[in-house]
Amino acid sequence: MVNKMDGKVHGSVSFCVGFLVAILVVALPAEAGRRANFTNVQDLKFGRLVPGVGGGTLTLSIGGGVTESGTVVSLGGEQVSQATVDSCLGSVTTLRLIPRDLTGPGPAIPLSGLTCVGPGGVPGVGSCVYAGTAGVDVVTIGGTITVAAEPGQLAGFYNRRYRIRGRHAPACP
Amino acid sequence: MSIKKYFKYFPLFFFVAFIGLTTTANAVPIGTDAEVLTAVTVTAGADLDFGSFTTAGAGGTIDFPAGGTISVGGGDPVLLGGEVGGTTTLDTTGSGASPITVNLTATLLVSGGNNMTLVPDCLPPAPAVLGVNSCTFTGIVNAAETVQIGGTLTVGAGQAAGVYAGTIDVVAGF
């Protein structure tokens, strides 16, 4: 619209620009892939342990191996965590692990070093990436707990739920 | 259109754009757990004492099973009394009602340059099953439990007279 008095174009142009920007922003891909759908197969279990007079850590590797530090003695019952993830060929899956401290009768037991690996992928601490397959992938998770010394770390059962998130990129059909 | 009208519509444009950028990742909770146990402490109770006995020189064995009565297992020892069964007390607080194994290691009973061999055994509270060199039972949380200690003594041929003494190491664990 042109103002016949001074030849300048006014507000209708600004309106169009703003609306156009909004359209472009909305049209841009908001995320690089759809979310991954998980099914929990088995929980992460550190089994039975004795902290000892110094406490320490107990690490459960994704291969199922157990490593103790300090005066911690493992008494068995460990189990890596596993979950299934829907997948597709040509897509890259990224997983992110969110630890949470275990709670029980005594001081909270920190959970750290959550490590995951997907089929054919490289293990990663906190997150991992792997190329998707044509079906359902099995991911394995390990981690480390830190227990205080006796008698501070009271005997009993400690538990919590950690969280796993994932995305496929590009999106699976 | 004036500048005022431009800013009137701008928030609407921004809101529409913002909706397109917001997504929610799928987060799945997975359980993790651990069972903490407290080490079992062991306290010595009554000493194991086979009392007094004689031998004509052939030697033999004397059986004094944990929680049982003393008897001659074989050979020529003659019992004269004074025997006392051994005991040890275990604090099973924090054991989580887990199986506890008591392991025994006996030294030689020595008197001067002479010695006799002792093979220890133990009788736990429950299940009350006698075990040679070790015994296992299910601990009770927050309890002091007594384990009976006994054994079999081998008296050698021509065993010299004297007061023989030794020790039994008791180690309890899960």
Side-chain angles (χ1 to χ4, degrees), chain B residues 10-99:
Chain B
F10 183 78
L12 174 62
F13 303 152
F14 182 78
F15 179 70
V16 172
F18 183 74
I19 289 178
L21 287 172
T22 301
T23 58
T24 301
N26 181 28
V28 174
I30 299 181
T32 184
D33 57 65
E35 183 178 8
V36 175
L37 305 178
T38 302
V40 177
T41 58
V42 180
T43 304
D47 288 340
L48 174 62
D49 190 344
F50 282 81
S52 300
F53 56 89
T54 62
T55 173
T61 59
I62 299 175
D63 295 328
F64 192 8
T69 56
I70 195 168
S71 63
V72 175
D76 69 354
V78 175
L79 301 177
L80 302 176
E83 66 277 6
V84 176
T87 62
T88 187
T89 301
L90 275 62
D91 182 358
T92 59
T93 301
S95 67
S98 299

Side-chain angles (χ1 to χ4, degrees), chain A residues 11-12 14 25-26 30 36 38 43-51 81 150 155-156 158-165 167, chain B residues 1-2 6 9 13 16-17 20-21 23-39 94 98-99 174:
Chain A
S12 60
S14 299
V25 172
V26 173
F38 295 92
D43 291 341
L44 179 60
K45 292 182 173 293
F46 289 90
R48 296 156 62 235
L49 61 101
V50 177
S81 177
E150 296 180 26
Y158 294 73
N159 63 353
R160 198 71 181 275
R161 289 187 168 192
Y162 70 94
R163 304 183 81 82
I164 182 169
R165 294 183 175 181
R167 291 195 177 280
Chain B
M1 180 181 292
S2 67
Y6 174 80
Y9 286 101
F13 303 152
V16 172
L21 287 172
T23 58
T24 301
N26 181 28
V28 174
I30 299 181
T32 184
D33 57 65
E35 183 178 8
V36 175
L37 305 178
T38 302
S98 299
F174 300 107

Side-chain angles (χ1 to χ4, degrees), chain A residues 35-154:
Chain A
R35 65 186 190 186
N37 295 312
F38 295 92
T39 300
N40 183 23
V41 174
Q42 59 187 37
D43 291 341
L44 179 60
K45 292 182 173 293
F46 289 90
R48 296 156 62 235
L49 61 101
V50 177
V53 297
T57 63
L58 184 64
T59 298
L60 186 56
S61 72
I62 53 178
V66 176
T67 304
E68 306 144 318
S69 79
T71 60
V72 173
V73 175
S74 172
L75 301 176
E78 303 88 0
Q79 171 185 280
V80 293
S81 177
Q82 286 191 328
T84 58
V85 186
D86 65 335
S87 180
C88 62
L89 289 174
S91 175
V92 174
T93 300
T94 302
L95 304 179
R96 189 162 72 92
L97 306 171
I98 306 162
R100 301 175 75 186
D101 293 351
L102 281 65
T103 58
I109 295 178
L111 174 64
S112 63
L114 285 176
T115 304
C116 60
V117 66
V122 178
V125 178
S127 67
C128 55
V129 179
Y130 67 93
T133 65
V136 176
D137 303 329
V138 176
V139 294
T140 303
I141 301 103
T144 298
I145 55 172
T146 302
V147 293
E150 296 180 26
Q153 194 70 68
L154 297 178

